[in-house]
Amino acid sequence: MKKITDSCEDNVKLLKSILTSQDILVFAFETKDGAPCAAVYADGMTDKALLGEQIARPLSQTEAPKTPKDAAKLLQAPEIKEEDDPDKLADEVLAGNTALFIDGVCGALVAGMKKLSLRAIMEPPGAVAVKGPREGFIEDMKTNMSLVRNRLRTPKLQFKTLTAGRQSKTAIAVGYIEGIADDKVVSEIEKKIGSIDIDGIPDSSYVAKFLAERPYSLFKAAGTTEKPDVLAAKMLEGRVAVIVDGSPIALTLPYLLVEDFQGAQDYFVSPYRASVSRLLRFIGVFVSIFLPAFYVAAQLFKLQILPLSFLLTIAGSIQGIPLSPSLELFFLLLVLEILVEASVRMPKYVALALSVIGALVLGDTAVKAGLVSSSAIIIMALSGISAYTVPDLVGTMSILRIAFVVVAGSIGTYGVLLMTALVLYYMTTADAYGAPMLAPFSPLVRRDLKDSLLKTSMYGLRKRPKVFRTKNETRLNAEKEETHGQD
């Protein structure tokens, strides 16, 4: 393989033989004593004004330097480094940096002059909070890292940048707090990211699949967040952050199921209000998954478990319905999923009309036509609305809800209980990076229960979660302690 030499013309030809695209431009100029120079950059990704101001002007006003270090001293760019590998130099140009060649200087200089179009930092649409910070991540990794750094102004905050994707060369930052996070977890995450062998990584969800201990699991493998304050709080608990360039969603590992029941604003309201909110989310998940199944099972096998007045109402509404209870609920849940998918992908103005048509016109017409019962419509609507009390689990709940309806229509209540036991067994055996998914409930970790479905006050959270095996367990030093905050 050819190497970088001291000939500016040969170096440009070598780099252009690697980067053959027409948007890779060459800016040629000369030093004061007539030595040829050339800057190679990607059009649209480099700030041309900075290129002329910080590179071309200083060199054109001085004599040609003899070494790369002498050249670096002349330039006014804050990010300058030497590079003599043609392939790495090509990667730098494709990343938006500028490659500088000076005739008579053996090697090349890389100047950081990226100019990318970025959207403004704003509140993420999927994590709206009534109280608390409203900053959200964007698609630029360095900006996201700076947002985290702004909240954790400690030299112990470490970021290690890796690269994955044969064609995309996507930058991935692994962040953790030294002295808190488990070194074994950090090393294992870095090892798995380094072993990723795929053409491209457009989003952090791709990385999450490779970091999963169970790639085919129905449940999430990593926590996700779009808010810097949430990510900083999780890192302070001992988790490891993974920020992927091009994605506004950061990953956190290890992941516990109880995280999805915790909201960002739970820590800005009273612990009583936070506890009530978390219990409502848990009830919402239970209703979303089990209500349609128990409705079907009650009609087919155990109608006597329903109150008499409610039973008479249901009996009157299902009279003349051509479908069986299980097929009726399955059909309605299928329609619900179709409406959700259509409303997400349609333009927002059309989606509103689509929701009105689907919820009112189709539902009311189907009941009047005798295709479905009004009670089944109510069950379907209540189940669908309850699912969104925990948005991060909507996909999992949708699959489990349909599966439970099928089992309830085939076996009845005993089938629902049996499948519940199987799901619980699967969840209790799930272990990612040494942290069980159902912790702190299974296994029972009493200290970690203080910030689970019930939240205690700040004085009760003196210790970090034990399940993460952090090096430093002390989170709060305070003389004042509440009685319920004792370990």
Side-chain angles (χ1 to χ4, degrees):
M1 178 183 293
K2 295 183 179 180
K3 297 183 178 180
I4 300 295
T5 64
D6 60 353
S7 173
C8 177
E9 183 179 358
D10 293 342
N11 292 336
V12 171
K13 289 181 179 179
L14 175 59
L15 191 55
K16 284 293 291 182
S17 66
I18 301 174
L19 304 174
T20 58
S21 178
Q22 294 183 359
D23 65 332
I24 305 299
L25 306 181
V26 179
F27 173 44
F29 57 97
E30 294 181 352
T31 61
K32 185 177 181 180
D33 55 351
C37 303
V40 183
Y41 61 95
D43 191 20
M45 298 181 66
T46 300
D47 193 327
K48 298 178 182 178
L50 290 179
L51 175 59
E53 187 71 23
Q54 299 181 357
I55 292 183
R57 177 176 293 182
L59 288 175
S60 62
Q61 296 176 351
T62 58
E63 296 182 355
K66 302 299 182 182
T67 64
K69 291 184 179 179
D70 294 337
K73 293 178 181 179
L74 297 175
L75 304 181
Q76 299 177 1
E79 297 182 23
I80 295 289
K81 66 178 181 179
E82 300 178 25
E83 186 60 68
D84 56 4
D85 188 336
D87 292 330
K88 292 183 179 179
L89 201 59
D91 292 339
E92 293 288 351
V93 173
L94 293 175
N97 298 321
T98 301
L100 175 64
F101 302 108
I102 304 174
D103 201 56
V105 177
C106 185
L109 293 177
V110 177
M113 295 184 175
K114 294 182 181 179
K115 183 183 179 181
L116 303 178
S117 300
L118 303 175
R119 65 182 177 92
I121 298 174
M122 56 189 298
E123 186 175 16
V128 179
V130 178
K131 291 186 177 181
R134 286 169 171 76
E135 289 180 336
F137 289 133
I138 62 174
E139 286 73 17
D140 181 59
M141 185 185 74
K142 289 190 176 181
T143 303
N144 296 340
M145 292 167 60
S146 66
L147 291 174
V148 178
R149 177 74 67 180
N150 185 49
R151 296 187 173 277
L152 298 175
R153 302 176 185 179
T154 170
K156 294 184 178 180
L157 175 60
Q158 303 292 328
F159 283 107
K160 295 183 179 180
T161 304
L162 307 173
T163 303
R166 293 189 298 268
Q167 308 298 333
S168 65
K169 301 291 176 55
T170 305
I172 303 174
V174 178
Y176 62 96
I177 301 180
E178 188 178 12
I180 295 180
D182 189 352
D183 293 335
K184 293 181 179 179
V185 175
V186 176
S187 300
E188 189 173 353
I189 291 174
E190 292 178 357
K191 182 180 179 181
K192 288 190 174 184
I193 293 177
S195 63
I196 296 176
D197 187 14
I198 191 174
D199 285 340
I201 299 178
D203 187 72
S204 59
S205 59
Y206 277 60
V207 180
K209 301 298 188 298
F210 291 98
L211 295 177
E213 296 286 344
R214 294 183 175 184
Y216 302 101
S217 175
L218 181 61
F219 298 90
K220 293 195 314 181
T224 57
T225 181
E226 296 183 66
K227 295 174 65 65
D229 59 301
V230 174
L231 184 62
K234 291 187 176 182
M235 293 175 70
L236 288 172
E237 290 185 343
R239 294 179 178 87
V240 179
V242 178
I243 302 176
V244 180
D245 194 24
S247 174
I249 301 176
L251 307 177
T252 57
L253 296 161
Y255 163 72
L256 304 179
L257 185 65
V258 72
E259 293 179 33
D260 291 329
F261 294 90
Q262 300 169 344
Q265 66 180 10
D266 291 351
Y267 299 90
F268 300 96
V269 298
S270 68
Y272 305 105
R273 175 58 187 169
S275 299
V276 171
S277 298
R278 293 180 182 182
L279 289 175
L280 287 176
R281 294 169 196 149
F282 177 77
I283 294 173
V285 171
F286 185 87
V287 169
S288 176
I289 296 175
F290 292 101
L291 181 61
F294 279 117
Y295 174 79
V296 171
Q299 286 194 59
L300 292 178
F301 299 97
K302 295 288 183 180
L303 282 175
Q304 62 269 25
I305 67 175
L306 299 176
L308 180 59
S309 57
F310 185 49
L311 177 60
L312 293 176
T313 301
I314 294 179
S317 63
I318 64 176
Q319 187 175 2
I321 301 299
L323 301 176
S324 64
S326 57
L327 288 177
E328 182 184 20
L329 257 297
F330 183 83
F331 170 73
L332 289 176
L333 292 176
L334 183 62
V335 172
L336 174 64
E337 296 298 330
I338 292 175
L339 288 175
V340 171
E341 290 296 322
S343 62
V344 169
R345 284 160 177 77
M346 294 290 288
K348 61 179 182 179
Y349 302 108
V350 181
L352 180 61
L354 178 66
S355 300
V356 173
I357 294 174
L360 299 179
V361 179
L362 291 181
D364 183 64
T365 304
V367 172
K368 291 181 178 179
L371 296 177
V372 294
S373 62
S374 56
S375 57
I377 292 286
I378 295 174
I379 295 295
M380 181 269 293
L382 183 58
S383 176
I385 294 173
S386 299
Y388 284 91
T389 56
V390 185
D392 289 336
L393 293 178
V394 169
T396 301
M397 284 188 285
S398 298
I399 298 174
L400 289 177
R401 179 170 53 200
I402 294 176
F404 272 100
V405 167
V406 174
V407 172
S410 304
I411 308 176
T413 308
Y414 295 107
V416 174
L417 297 177
L418 179 61
M419 187 170 179
T420 302
L422 292 175
V423 173
L424 288 176
Y425 172 77
Y426 179 83
M427 296 171 65
T428 53
T429 56
D431 187 308
Y433 301 97
M437 180 188 293
L438 288 185
F441 304 103
S442 177
L444 183 63
V445 184
R446 296 184 181 276
R447 189 174 80 190
D448 296 355
L449 290 174
K450 299 172 185 177
D451 191 18
S452 55
L453 290 182
L454 297 178
K455 182 183 178 299
T456 186
S457 66
M458 281 298 180
Y459 288 105
L461 303 177
R462 295 188 304 108
K463 300 291 185 180
R464 293 187 175 88
K466 187 177 181 179
V467 70
F468 297 137
R469 303 190 305 274
T470 56
K471 294 182 178 180
N472 182 5
E473 294 187 348
T474 302
R475 173 163 47 186
L476 171 67
N477 288 320
E479 297 181 358
K480 180 180 178 180
E481 297 179 3
E482 297 182 358
T483 304
H484 64 272
Q486 299 289 340
D487 290 338

